[in-house]
Amino acid sequence: MEMLSAISGWIWNPLAYVALGIGVLFTLLTKGVQFRRFPDMLRHLRTGEAGEGGLTSLQTLALSLSSRIGVGSIAGVATAVAAGGPGALLWMVITALLGSTCAYAESVLAQVYKRRVQDEDRGGMPYYIKYGLKAPWLATVVAVATLIGYGFVFPGIQANNIASSAKLAFGVNGPVTGVVVAAVLGLVIVGGTRRIVKVVEAVVPFVALLYILSALVIIALNATKVPHALLLIVSSAMGKDQLFGGIVGYAVAWGVRRAVFASATGLGEGTFAAAAATVSHPGKQGIIQAFSIYIDILLICTASGLLLVVTGAYNVTDPAGGFLVQNVPGAVAGPNYMQEAIDSSLPGWGSGFVAVAVTMFAFISMVFFFYVAQTNLVFLLGERRSKVWEALVKVGTLGIAFTGTAVSADTMWAAGDIGYGILGWLNMGCVLLLTPVVRKVIRDYDRQRRDGLDPVFAPDRLGIEGADYWLAQPAALKEPGRV
Protein backbone atom coordinates (compact mmCIF):
# COMPACT_ATOMS: atom_id res chain seq x y z
CA MET A 1 0.00 0.00 0.00
CA GLU A 2 2.89 2.35 0.70
CA MET A 3 4.23 1.68 -2.79
CA LEU A 4 0.81 2.19 -4.43
CA SER A 5 0.28 5.41 -2.48
CA ALA A 6 3.71 6.67 -3.51
CA ILE A 7 3.02 5.91 -7.19
CA SER A 8 -0.35 7.64 -6.92
CA GLY A 9 1.33 10.71 -5.41
CA TRP A 10 3.96 10.87 -8.16
CA ILE A 11 1.20 10.80 -10.77
CA TRP A 12 -1.36 13.09 -9.17
CA ASN A 13 0.63 15.79 -7.39
CA PRO A 14 1.87 17.38 -10.63
CA LEU A 15 -1.23 16.33 -12.62
CA ALA A 16 -3.57 18.40 -10.45
CA TYR A 17 -1.59 21.56 -11.18
CA VAL A 18 -1.31 20.69 -14.87
CA ALA A 19 -5.12 20.36 -15.02
CA LEU A 20 -5.53 23.77 -13.37
CA GLY A 21 -2.95 25.27 -15.72
CA ILE A 22 -4.74 23.87 -18.78
CA GLY A 23 -7.97 25.35 -17.44
CA VAL A 24 -6.31 28.76 -17.21
CA LEU A 25 -4.88 28.36 -20.73
CA PHE A 26 -8.24 27.51 -22.31
CA THR A 27 -10.00 30.22 -20.30
CA LEU A 28 -7.65 32.74 -21.93
CA LEU A 29 -7.82 31.18 -25.42
CA THR A 30 -11.63 31.03 -25.38
CA LYS A 31 -11.95 34.44 -23.68
CA GLY A 32 -13.82 32.90 -20.79
CA VAL A 33 -16.33 30.89 -22.80
CA GLN A 34 -17.64 29.29 -19.59
CA PHE A 35 -18.77 32.75 -18.42
CA ARG A 36 -19.63 34.46 -21.72
CA ARG A 37 -21.83 31.68 -23.03
CA PHE A 38 -23.70 30.76 -19.86
CA PRO A 39 -27.08 31.74 -21.41
CA ASP A 40 -26.28 29.47 -24.35
CA MET A 41 -25.80 26.54 -21.96
CA LEU A 42 -29.43 26.74 -20.89
CA ARG A 43 -30.74 27.46 -24.39
CA HIS A 44 -29.02 24.45 -25.98
CA LEU A 45 -30.33 22.13 -23.27
CA ARG A 46 -33.86 23.36 -23.90
CA THR A 47 -33.81 23.21 -27.72
CA GLY A 48 -31.61 20.18 -28.43
CA GLU A 49 -33.13 17.21 -30.29
CA ALA A 50 -31.86 13.68 -30.81
CA GLY A 51 -30.93 12.60 -34.31
CA GLU A 52 -30.82 9.11 -35.75
CA GLY A 53 -28.21 7.23 -33.72
CA GLY A 54 -27.56 10.21 -31.44
CA LEU A 55 -28.79 11.60 -28.12
CA THR A 56 -30.20 14.95 -27.05
CA SER A 57 -27.94 17.43 -25.26
CA LEU A 58 -29.98 16.92 -22.10
CA GLN A 59 -29.48 13.15 -22.29
CA THR A 60 -25.72 13.50 -22.73
CA LEU A 61 -25.62 15.97 -19.82
CA ALA A 62 -27.31 13.34 -17.63
CA LEU A 63 -24.91 10.71 -18.98
CA SER A 64 -21.89 12.88 -18.14
CA LEU A 65 -23.22 13.75 -14.70
CA SER A 66 -23.70 10.06 -13.97
CA SER A 67 -19.91 9.81 -13.81
CA ARG A 68 -19.12 13.24 -12.39
CA ILE A 69 -21.40 12.97 -9.35
CA GLY A 70 -19.94 9.71 -8.09
CA VAL A 71 -18.63 8.99 -4.60
CA GLY A 72 -16.07 11.77 -5.07
CA SER A 73 -18.87 14.25 -4.40
CA ILE A 74 -19.05 12.90 -0.83
CA ALA A 75 -15.90 10.97 0.04
CA GLY A 76 -13.63 13.13 -2.15
CA VAL A 77 -14.79 16.39 -0.55
CA ALA A 78 -14.29 14.97 2.94
CA THR A 79 -10.74 13.80 2.21
CA ALA A 80 -9.91 17.22 0.72
CA VAL A 81 -11.01 18.95 3.95
CA ALA A 82 -9.16 16.38 6.07
CA ALA A 83 -5.86 16.95 4.24
CA GLY A 84 -6.10 20.63 3.28
CA GLY A 85 -8.49 22.15 5.79
CA PRO A 86 -11.66 24.12 4.98
CA GLY A 87 -9.71 26.26 2.50
CA ALA A 88 -9.56 23.30 0.10
CA LEU A 89 -13.24 23.94 -0.68
CA LEU A 90 -12.54 27.35 -2.21
CA TRP A 91 -9.81 25.88 -4.39
CA MET A 92 -12.27 23.23 -5.55
CA VAL A 93 -14.60 26.02 -6.69
CA ILE A 94 -11.78 27.92 -8.41
CA THR A 95 -10.73 24.72 -10.19
CA ALA A 96 -14.30 24.19 -11.37
CA LEU A 97 -14.61 27.72 -12.75
CA LEU A 98 -11.33 27.52 -14.64
CA GLY A 99 -11.16 23.79 -15.30
CA SER A 100 -14.57 23.72 -16.94
CA THR A 101 -12.87 25.01 -20.10
CA CYS A 102 -10.77 21.83 -20.15
CA ALA A 103 -14.05 19.87 -20.23
CA TYR A 104 -15.16 22.27 -22.98
CA ALA A 105 -12.04 21.61 -25.07
CA GLU A 106 -12.07 17.81 -24.82
CA SER A 107 -15.82 17.69 -25.56
CA VAL A 108 -15.39 19.90 -28.63
CA LEU A 109 -12.74 17.50 -29.91
CA ALA A 110 -14.98 14.52 -29.19
CA GLN A 111 -17.68 16.08 -31.35
CA VAL A 112 -15.35 17.14 -34.17
CA TYR A 113 -13.83 13.67 -34.64
CA LYS A 114 -16.78 11.40 -33.78
CA ARG A 115 -17.98 8.66 -36.13
CA ARG A 116 -21.19 6.80 -36.92
CA VAL A 117 -20.39 3.19 -35.95
CA GLN A 118 -22.85 0.32 -35.73
CA ASP A 119 -25.72 2.81 -36.31
CA GLU A 120 -24.78 4.91 -33.25
CA ASP A 121 -22.79 8.15 -32.86
CA ARG A 122 -19.57 7.26 -31.05
CA GLY A 123 -16.51 9.27 -30.09
CA GLY A 124 -14.13 10.21 -27.32
CA MET A 125 -10.41 10.09 -26.52
CA PRO A 126 -9.27 7.37 -28.95
CA TYR A 127 -11.25 8.92 -31.81
CA TYR A 128 -9.67 12.37 -31.63
CA ILE A 129 -6.25 10.82 -31.05
CA LYS A 130 -6.62 8.68 -34.19
CA TYR A 131 -8.34 11.14 -36.52
CA GLY A 132 -7.13 14.44 -35.04
CA LEU A 133 -3.55 13.68 -34.05
CA LYS A 134 -3.30 10.97 -36.72
CA ALA A 135 -1.73 8.58 -34.19
CA PRO A 136 -3.68 5.32 -34.57
CA TRP A 137 -1.17 3.32 -32.50
CA LEU A 138 -1.58 5.68 -29.54
CA ALA A 139 -5.35 5.65 -29.99
CA THR A 140 -5.34 1.86 -29.76
CA VAL A 141 -3.23 1.94 -26.59
CA VAL A 142 -5.58 4.50 -24.99
CA ALA A 143 -8.67 2.53 -26.05
CA VAL A 144 -7.30 -0.71 -24.56
CA ALA A 145 -6.29 1.05 -21.32
CA THR A 146 -9.67 2.77 -21.05
CA LEU A 147 -11.53 -0.47 -21.79
CA ILE A 148 -9.63 -2.27 -19.03
CA GLY A 149 -10.01 0.59 -16.56
CA TYR A 150 -13.72 1.25 -17.04
CA GLY A 151 -14.71 -2.33 -17.69
CA PHE A 152 -12.62 -4.25 -15.17
CA VAL A 153 -11.26 -1.87 -12.47
CA PHE A 154 -13.06 1.42 -11.82
CA PRO A 155 -16.54 -0.08 -11.18
CA GLY A 156 -14.94 -1.89 -8.24
CA ILE A 157 -14.27 1.44 -6.49
CA GLN A 158 -17.95 2.34 -6.66
CA ALA A 159 -19.03 -1.14 -5.52
CA ASN A 160 -16.58 -0.98 -2.63
CA ASN A 161 -18.08 2.29 -1.40
CA ILE A 162 -21.60 0.87 -1.67
CA ALA A 163 -20.58 -2.17 0.39
CA SER A 164 -18.80 -0.19 3.12
CA SER A 165 -21.72 2.25 3.48
CA ALA A 166 -24.27 -0.58 3.61
CA LYS A 167 -22.17 -2.41 6.21
CA LEU A 168 -21.91 0.65 8.44
CA ALA A 169 -25.54 1.72 8.12
CA PHE A 170 -27.43 -1.56 7.93
CA GLY A 171 -24.96 -4.28 8.89
CA VAL A 172 -25.17 -5.97 5.47
CA ASN A 173 -22.15 -8.11 4.59
CA GLY A 174 -20.07 -7.30 1.51
CA PRO A 175 -20.82 -10.47 -0.52
CA VAL A 176 -24.58 -9.94 -0.11
CA THR A 177 -24.25 -6.34 -1.30
CA GLY A 178 -22.07 -7.52 -4.19
CA VAL A 179 -24.69 -9.98 -5.42
CA VAL A 180 -27.45 -7.35 -5.31
CA VAL A 181 -25.35 -4.67 -7.04
CA ALA A 182 -24.20 -7.05 -9.78
CA ALA A 183 -27.73 -8.32 -10.37
CA VAL A 184 -29.30 -4.85 -10.70
CA LEU A 185 -26.40 -3.61 -12.84
CA GLY A 186 -26.84 -6.63 -15.10
CA LEU A 187 -30.50 -5.77 -15.69
CA VAL A 188 -29.48 -2.32 -16.87
CA ILE A 189 -26.49 -3.06 -19.10
CA VAL A 190 -28.03 -6.07 -20.82
CA GLY A 191 -30.48 -3.67 -22.47
CA GLY A 192 -27.74 -1.81 -24.34
CA THR A 193 -27.30 1.92 -24.88
CA ARG A 194 -31.00 2.81 -24.97
CA ARG A 195 -31.73 1.26 -21.57
CA ILE A 196 -28.58 2.79 -20.09
CA VAL A 197 -29.63 6.26 -21.27
CA LYS A 198 -33.21 5.81 -20.02
CA VAL A 199 -32.05 4.74 -16.55
CA VAL A 200 -29.49 7.52 -16.26
CA GLU A 201 -31.88 10.16 -17.61
CA ALA A 202 -34.48 9.20 -15.00
CA VAL A 203 -32.21 8.67 -12.00
CA VAL A 204 -29.52 11.40 -12.23
CA PRO A 205 -31.74 14.51 -11.84
CA PHE A 206 -33.63 12.84 -8.97
CA VAL A 207 -30.47 11.81 -7.10
CA ALA A 208 -28.71 15.16 -7.57
CA LEU A 209 -31.73 17.23 -6.53
CA LEU A 210 -32.51 15.03 -3.53
CA TYR A 211 -28.94 15.23 -2.26
CA ILE A 212 -28.67 19.01 -2.70
CA LEU A 213 -32.01 19.63 -0.98
CA SER A 214 -31.07 17.33 1.91
CA ALA A 215 -27.74 19.10 2.40
CA LEU A 216 -29.47 22.50 2.27
CA VAL A 217 -31.92 21.41 4.97
CA ILE A 218 -29.03 20.58 7.34
CA ILE A 219 -27.27 23.83 6.45
CA ALA A 220 -30.51 25.77 7.10
CA LEU A 221 -30.78 24.18 10.54
CA ASN A 222 -27.34 25.67 11.23
CA ALA A 223 -27.98 28.98 9.43
CA THR A 224 -26.39 31.12 12.16
CA LYS A 225 -23.05 29.34 11.60
CA VAL A 226 -22.96 29.86 7.83
CA PRO A 227 -21.28 33.34 7.79
CA HIS A 228 -18.46 32.13 10.06
CA ALA A 229 -18.06 28.96 7.97
CA LEU A 230 -17.73 30.96 4.73
CA LEU A 231 -15.20 33.31 6.35
CA LEU A 232 -13.19 30.32 7.58
CA ILE A 233 -13.16 28.75 4.12
CA VAL A 234 -11.94 31.93 2.41
CA SER A 235 -9.36 32.88 5.06
CA SER A 236 -7.97 29.32 5.13
CA ALA A 237 -7.70 29.21 1.34
CA MET A 238 -5.77 32.49 1.32
CA GLY A 239 -3.44 31.46 4.16
CA LYS A 240 -4.85 34.10 6.51
CA ASP A 241 -6.40 31.84 9.13
CA GLN A 242 -4.36 31.53 12.31
CA LEU A 243 -4.88 27.78 12.59
CA PHE A 244 -4.88 26.66 8.94
CA GLY A 245 -2.63 29.32 7.40
CA GLY A 246 0.39 27.06 7.63
CA ILE A 247 -1.13 24.40 5.37
CA VAL A 248 -2.33 26.67 2.55
CA GLY A 249 -0.19 24.65 0.14
CA TYR A 250 -2.10 21.51 1.10
CA ALA A 251 -5.38 23.41 0.69
CA VAL A 252 -4.46 24.26 -2.89
CA ALA A 253 -3.09 20.81 -3.74
CA TRP A 254 -5.99 18.82 -2.29
CA GLY A 255 -8.67 21.24 -3.43
CA VAL A 256 -7.45 21.05 -7.03
CA ARG A 257 -6.76 17.32 -6.88
CA ARG A 258 -10.16 16.35 -5.53
CA ALA A 259 -11.98 18.74 -7.88
CA VAL A 260 -10.26 17.10 -10.85
CA PHE A 261 -10.94 13.61 -9.49
CA ALA A 262 -14.58 14.29 -8.55
CA SER A 263 -15.51 15.94 -11.84
CA ALA A 264 -13.10 13.98 -14.09
CA THR A 265 -12.09 17.32 -15.64
CA GLY A 266 -9.46 16.67 -18.29
CA LEU A 267 -9.44 12.92 -17.71
CA GLY A 268 -11.40 12.27 -20.92
CA GLU A 269 -14.26 10.54 -19.13
CA GLY A 270 -16.92 12.97 -20.29
CA THR A 271 -15.81 12.83 -23.93
CA PHE A 272 -17.63 9.56 -24.59
CA ALA A 273 -20.99 11.03 -23.60
CA ALA A 274 -20.26 14.35 -25.33
CA ALA A 275 -19.67 12.64 -28.69
CA ALA A 276 -23.09 10.97 -28.60
CA ALA A 277 -25.02 14.27 -28.68
CA THR A 278 -26.80 15.39 -31.84
CA VAL A 279 -25.84 19.05 -32.28
CA SER A 280 -25.25 21.33 -35.25
CA HIS A 281 -21.90 22.60 -33.94
CA PRO A 282 -19.26 21.09 -31.59
CA GLY A 283 -19.15 24.36 -29.66
CA LYS A 284 -22.66 23.71 -28.38
CA GLN A 285 -21.74 20.43 -26.72
CA GLY A 286 -18.55 21.92 -25.33
CA ILE A 287 -20.58 24.55 -23.52
CA ILE A 288 -22.97 21.94 -22.13
CA GLN A 289 -20.11 19.84 -20.78
CA ALA A 290 -18.65 22.91 -19.08
CA PHE A 291 -22.08 23.35 -17.47
CA SER A 292 -21.91 19.79 -16.08
CA ILE A 293 -18.78 20.78 -14.11
CA TYR A 294 -20.75 23.64 -12.54
CA ILE A 295 -23.49 21.27 -11.42
CA ASP A 296 -21.07 18.78 -9.91
CA ILE A 297 -18.56 21.06 -8.16
CA LEU A 298 -20.43 24.33 -7.59
CA LEU A 299 -23.64 22.68 -6.42
CA ILE A 300 -23.11 19.12 -5.17
CA CYS A 301 -19.51 19.21 -3.91
CA THR A 302 -19.92 22.69 -2.44
CA ALA A 303 -23.07 21.59 -0.62
CA SER A 304 -21.14 18.64 0.82
CA GLY A 305 -18.22 20.80 1.92
CA LEU A 306 -20.31 23.57 3.44
CA LEU A 307 -22.31 20.97 5.34
CA LEU A 308 -19.10 19.64 6.92
CA VAL A 309 -17.71 23.04 7.88
CA VAL A 310 -21.01 24.41 9.21
CA THR A 311 -21.51 21.40 11.49
CA GLY A 312 -17.80 21.10 12.36
CA ALA A 313 -17.89 17.38 11.54
CA TYR A 314 -14.31 17.05 10.28
CA ASN A 315 -10.72 16.49 11.36
CA VAL A 316 -7.69 18.12 9.74
CA THR A 317 -4.38 16.29 9.83
CA ASP A 318 -1.14 18.03 10.69
CA PRO A 319 1.58 17.37 8.08
CA ALA A 320 4.03 17.11 10.95
CA GLY A 321 1.94 14.41 12.58
CA GLY A 322 -1.28 14.28 14.57
CA PHE A 323 -4.17 16.66 13.98
CA LEU A 324 -4.60 20.41 13.68
CA VAL A 325 -8.29 19.89 14.43
CA GLN A 326 -9.96 16.78 15.74
CA ASN A 327 -13.68 17.51 15.97
CA VAL A 328 -14.77 13.90 15.36
CA PRO A 329 -12.28 11.58 17.08
CA GLY A 330 -12.07 8.15 15.49
CA ALA A 331 -13.95 9.12 12.33
CA VAL A 332 -12.27 8.08 9.06
CA ALA A 333 -12.03 10.78 6.38
CA GLY A 334 -14.75 10.06 3.83
CA PRO A 335 -18.42 9.16 4.23
CA ASN A 336 -17.95 9.00 8.04
CA TYR A 337 -17.59 12.79 8.17
CA MET A 338 -20.86 13.27 6.30
CA GLN A 339 -22.62 10.82 8.60
CA GLU A 340 -21.38 12.74 11.65
CA ALA A 341 -22.47 16.03 10.08
CA ILE A 342 -26.03 14.84 9.52
CA ASP A 343 -26.28 13.12 12.90
CA SER A 344 -25.28 16.37 14.60
CA SER A 345 -28.53 17.96 13.42
CA LEU A 346 -30.75 14.92 12.80
CA PRO A 347 -29.58 12.20 15.20
CA GLY A 348 -29.85 8.69 13.81
CA TRP A 349 -30.27 9.75 10.17
CA GLY A 350 -26.63 10.12 9.14
CA SER A 351 -25.60 6.53 8.46
CA GLY A 352 -28.73 5.61 6.52
CA PHE A 353 -28.86 8.79 4.46
CA VAL A 354 -25.19 8.66 3.45
CA ALA A 355 -25.45 4.95 2.63
CA VAL A 356 -28.39 5.60 0.30
CA ALA A 357 -26.69 8.65 -1.30
CA VAL A 358 -23.40 6.78 -1.84
CA THR A 359 -25.26 3.79 -3.26
CA MET A 360 -27.19 5.86 -5.80
CA PHE A 361 -24.20 8.01 -6.80
CA ALA A 362 -21.96 4.96 -7.13
CA PHE A 363 -24.48 2.87 -9.04
CA ILE A 364 -25.17 5.43 -11.77
CA SER A 365 -21.40 5.87 -12.13
CA MET A 366 -21.05 2.12 -12.69
CA VAL A 367 -23.71 2.26 -15.40
CA PHE A 368 -21.79 5.01 -17.19
CA PHE A 369 -18.48 3.17 -16.77
CA PHE A 370 -19.92 0.25 -18.73
CA TYR A 371 -20.99 2.66 -21.48
CA VAL A 372 -17.41 3.99 -21.66
CA ALA A 373 -15.97 0.48 -21.81
CA GLN A 374 -18.44 -0.47 -24.52
CA THR A 375 -17.59 2.61 -26.59
CA ASN A 376 -13.88 1.75 -26.50
CA LEU A 377 -14.67 -1.81 -27.54
CA VAL A 378 -16.64 -0.42 -30.50
CA PHE A 379 -13.61 1.72 -31.42
CA LEU A 380 -11.34 -1.33 -31.41
CA LEU A 381 -13.77 -3.51 -33.39
CA GLY A 382 -15.13 -0.89 -35.80
CA GLU A 383 -18.12 -2.12 -37.78
CA ARG A 384 -17.35 -5.70 -36.81
CA ARG A 385 -19.42 -7.22 -34.02
CA SER A 386 -18.04 -9.78 -31.59
CA LYS A 387 -20.51 -11.39 -29.22
CA VAL A 388 -17.58 -12.99 -27.39
CA TRP A 389 -15.86 -9.68 -26.61
CA GLU A 390 -19.14 -7.93 -25.83
CA ALA A 391 -20.05 -10.71 -23.40
CA LEU A 392 -16.56 -10.60 -21.86
CA VAL A 393 -16.89 -6.88 -21.09
CA LYS A 394 -20.31 -7.44 -19.51
CA VAL A 395 -19.01 -10.34 -17.42
CA GLY A 396 -15.94 -8.32 -16.42
CA THR A 397 -18.03 -5.35 -15.31
CA LEU A 398 -20.41 -7.53 -13.31
CA GLY A 399 -17.48 -9.51 -11.89
CA ILE A 400 -15.66 -6.46 -10.53
CA ALA A 401 -18.99 -5.11 -9.26
CA PHE A 402 -19.13 -8.21 -7.07
CA THR A 403 -15.46 -8.67 -6.14
CA GLY A 404 -14.99 -4.94 -5.52
CA THR A 405 -17.17 -5.29 -2.43
CA ALA A 406 -14.65 -7.72 -0.90
CA VAL A 407 -11.35 -5.96 -1.74
CA SER A 408 -9.98 -3.44 0.77
CA ALA A 409 -10.99 0.18 0.16
CA ASP A 410 -7.36 1.38 0.23
CA THR A 411 -6.38 -1.04 -2.53
CA MET A 412 -9.33 -0.14 -4.75
CA TRP A 413 -8.78 3.62 -4.36
CA ALA A 414 -5.04 3.30 -4.99
CA ALA A 415 -5.62 1.26 -8.15
CA GLY A 416 -8.26 3.73 -9.30
CA ASP A 417 -6.06 6.76 -8.61
CA ILE A 418 -3.21 5.29 -10.63
CA GLY A 419 -5.46 4.30 -13.54
CA TYR A 420 -7.23 7.66 -13.69
CA GLY A 421 -3.92 9.48 -13.42
CA ILE A 422 -2.32 7.65 -16.34
CA LEU A 423 -5.34 8.31 -18.55
CA GLY A 424 -5.35 11.94 -17.41
CA TRP A 425 -1.74 12.53 -18.49
CA LEU A 426 -2.40 10.92 -21.87
CA ASN A 427 -5.62 12.83 -22.49
CA MET A 428 -4.39 16.26 -21.39
CA GLY A 429 -1.29 15.93 -23.51
CA CYS A 430 -3.37 15.09 -26.59
CA VAL A 431 -5.85 17.90 -25.92
CA LEU A 432 -2.98 20.39 -25.70
CA LEU A 433 -1.60 19.18 -29.04
CA LEU A 434 -5.05 19.73 -30.58
CA THR A 435 -5.42 23.26 -29.18
CA PRO A 436 -5.44 24.84 -32.69
CA VAL A 437 -8.59 22.86 -33.53
CA VAL A 438 -10.33 23.98 -30.34
CA ARG A 439 -9.42 27.58 -31.15
CA LYS A 440 -10.86 27.34 -34.66
CA VAL A 441 -14.11 25.87 -33.33
CA ILE A 442 -14.69 28.54 -30.67
CA ARG A 443 -13.88 31.37 -33.10
CA ASP A 444 -16.28 29.92 -35.66
CA TYR A 445 -19.00 29.53 -33.04
CA ASP A 446 -18.52 33.11 -31.77
CA ARG A 447 -18.53 34.54 -35.30
CA GLN A 448 -21.83 32.87 -36.18
CA ARG A 449 -23.41 33.93 -32.88
CA ARG A 450 -22.32 37.54 -33.46
CA ASP A 451 -24.08 37.36 -36.82
CA GLY A 452 -27.26 36.23 -35.08
CA LEU A 453 -27.04 32.69 -36.46
CA ASP A 454 -27.62 29.29 -34.94
CA PRO A 455 -24.08 27.92 -35.42
CA VAL A 456 -23.54 25.10 -37.91
CA PHE A 457 -20.20 23.33 -38.26
CA ALA A 458 -18.45 23.00 -41.62
CA PRO A 459 -14.93 21.64 -40.99
CA ASP A 460 -13.81 22.05 -44.59
CA ARG A 461 -14.34 25.82 -44.36
CA LEU A 462 -12.10 25.93 -41.27
CA GLY A 463 -9.36 23.71 -42.67
CA ILE A 464 -10.01 20.93 -40.16
CA GLU A 465 -9.16 17.46 -41.49
CA GLY A 466 -10.45 14.12 -40.24
CA ALA A 467 -13.95 15.31 -39.35
CA ASP A 468 -15.63 12.87 -41.75
CA TYR A 469 -18.86 12.64 -39.75
CA TRP A 470 -19.63 16.30 -40.43
CA LEU A 471 -18.72 16.15 -44.11
CA ALA A 472 -21.28 13.36 -44.56
CA GLN A 473 -24.17 15.48 -43.25
CA PRO A 474 -26.89 16.55 -45.75
CA ALA A 475 -26.31 19.92 -47.37
CA ALA A 476 -29.50 21.29 -45.78
CA LEU A 477 -27.95 20.85 -42.33
CA LYS A 478 -24.80 22.75 -43.22
CA GLU A 479 -26.41 26.17 -43.63
CA PRO A 480 -26.90 28.17 -40.42
CA GLY A 481 -30.27 29.71 -39.69
CA ARG A 482 -31.28 32.68 -37.60
CA VAL A 483 -31.58 32.18 -33.85
Side-chain angles (χ1 to χ4, degrees):
M1 276 309 304
E2 288 182 3
M3 182 183 69
L4 290 175
S5 296
I7 294 173
S8 176
W10 296 335
I11 293 173
W12 272 97
N13 288 337
L15 179 62
Y17 291 103
V18 169
L20 185 59
I22 292 176
V24 173
L25 172 64
F26 281 116
T27 296
L28 296 174
L29 287 178
T30 62
K31 299 178 181 178
V33 66
Q34 72 272 43
F35 308 122
R36 293 188 297 109
R37 294 301 179 188
F38 187 79
D40 284 8
M41 295 178 182
L42 304 179
R43 184 169 64 86
H44 294 327
L45 285 174
R46 188 177 67 253
T47 60
E49 296 182 1
E52 183 181 353
L55 307 175
T56 67
S57 294
L58 188 60
Q59 287 174 326
T60 56
L61 175 66
L63 202 56
S64 295
L65 285 174
S66 67
S67 70
R68 299 194 197 283
I69 59 173
V71 294
S73 300
I74 297 177
V77 173
T79 55
V81 173
L89 298 175
L90 181 59
W91 285 103
M92 289 187 74
V93 171
I94 292 172
T95 302
L97 293 174
L98 296 176
S100 57
T101 53
C102 192
Y104 170 89
E106 64 183 12
S107 298
V108 161
L109 294 173
Q111 272 286 325
V112 169
Y113 296 108
K114 68 181 181 180
R115 291 291 191 272
R116 174 67 59 83
V117 187
Q118 297 179 8
D119 297 323
E120 292 184 359
D121 292 348
R122 299 278 187 174
M125 281 192 291
Y127 288 86
Y128 55 72
I129 293 173
K130 179 177 181 178
Y131 300 111
L133 286 182
K134 296 180 174 59
W137 66 270
L138 180 58
T140 300
V141 170
V142 169
V144 171
T146 306
L147 172 60
I148 294 172
Y150 284 90
F152 300 89
V153 179
F154 301 155
I157 301 173
Q158 312 296 327
N160 187 276
N161 278 272
I162 293 174
S164 61
S165 297
K167 176 69 174 178
L168 183 64
F170 310 115
V172 180
N173 291 326
V176 176
T177 302
V179 169
V180 174
V181 170
V184 177
L185 182 62
L187 291 175
V188 176
I189 67 177
V190 76
T193 302
R194 290 187 179 276
R195 184 176 296 177
I196 290 173
V197 172
K198 285 183 179 179
V199 170
V200 168
E201 191 178 18
V203 174
V204 168
F206 171 75
V207 173
L209 185 60
L210 177 63
Y211 183 77
I212 292 171
L213 289 177
S214 300
L216 290 177
V217 167
I218 306 298
I219 293 171
L221 293 174
N222 296 272
T224 57
K225 301 177 183 178
V226 171
H228 177 265
L230 294 175
L231 181 62
L232 178 62
I233 291 170
V234 174
S235 62
S236 300
M238 297 295 107
K240 302 296 183 182
D241 184 78
Q242 184 176 0
L243 184 59
F244 301 116
I247 62 167
V248 63
Y250 287 87
V252 176
W254 280 92
V256 174
R257 178 172 175 171
R258 282 310 173 205
V260 171
F261 190 93
S263 65
T265 302
L267 303 185
E269 193 169 279
T271 62
F272 301 98
T278 299
V279 291
S280 64
H281 196 285
K284 292 182 177 181
Q285 190 58 27
I287 291 170
I288 289 169
Q289 291 302 306
F291 184 59
S292 71
I293 304 296
Y294 287 177
I295 295 175
D296 177 42
I297 303 296
L298 300 188
L299 290 180
I300 299 175
C301 290
T302 299
S304 295
L306 187 57
L307 176 59
L308 293 179
V309 179
V310 164
T311 59
Y314 62 91
N315 301 326
V316 179
T317 57
D318 186 341
F323 294 90
L324 291 174
V325 169
Q326 194 173 17
N327 295 330
V328 282
V332 179
N336 279 181
Y337 284 11
M338 200 65 64
Q339 290 167 332
E340 294 283 353
I342 296 172
D343 279 338
S344 67
S345 298
L346 298 173
W349 284 88
S351 295
F353 173 79
V354 172
V356 172
V358 167
T359 296
M360 298 188 77
F361 281 171
F363 183 78
I364 58 177
S365 291
M366 292 169 71
V367 172
F368 178 73
F369 288 175
F370 173 76
Y371 175 81
V372 172
Q374 188 182 50
T375 298
N376 282 274
L377 179 63
V378 169
F379 172 82
L380 293 170
L381 295 178
E383 288 293 345
R384 294 180 291 113
R385 298 292 297 265
S386 172
K387 292 184 178 180
V388 173
W389 280 105
E390 291 172 3
L392 182 61
V393 173
K394 290 179 181 178
V395 171
T397 300
L398 298 179
I400 193 62
F402 173 76
T403 57
T405 61
V407 179
S408 72
D410 288 342
T411 301
M412 287 306 311
W413 274 104
D417 269 346
I418 292 171
Y420 276 121
I422 292 172
L423 289 176
W425 277 111
L426 289 171
N427 181 61
M428 290 183 200
C430 293
V431 169
L432 282 176
L433 292 174
L434 288 168
T435 296
V437 176
V438 177
R439 195 173 185 181
K440 288 180 180 179
V441 171
I442 184 60
R443 286 184 172 182
D444 182 59
Y445 180 90
D446 284 342
R447 177 186 58 77
Q448 294 188 54
R449 289 291 286 119
R450 282 195 303 270
D451 293 341
L453 302 173
D454 182 22
V456 170
F457 185 56
D460 48 338
R461 299 175 189 171
L462 303 177
I464 297 177
E465 299 178 355
D468 295 359
Y469 174 92
W470 298 93
L471 297 175
Q473 297 303 305
L477 299 179
K478 297 181 181 180
E479 294 300 326
R482 294 285 169 182
V483 176

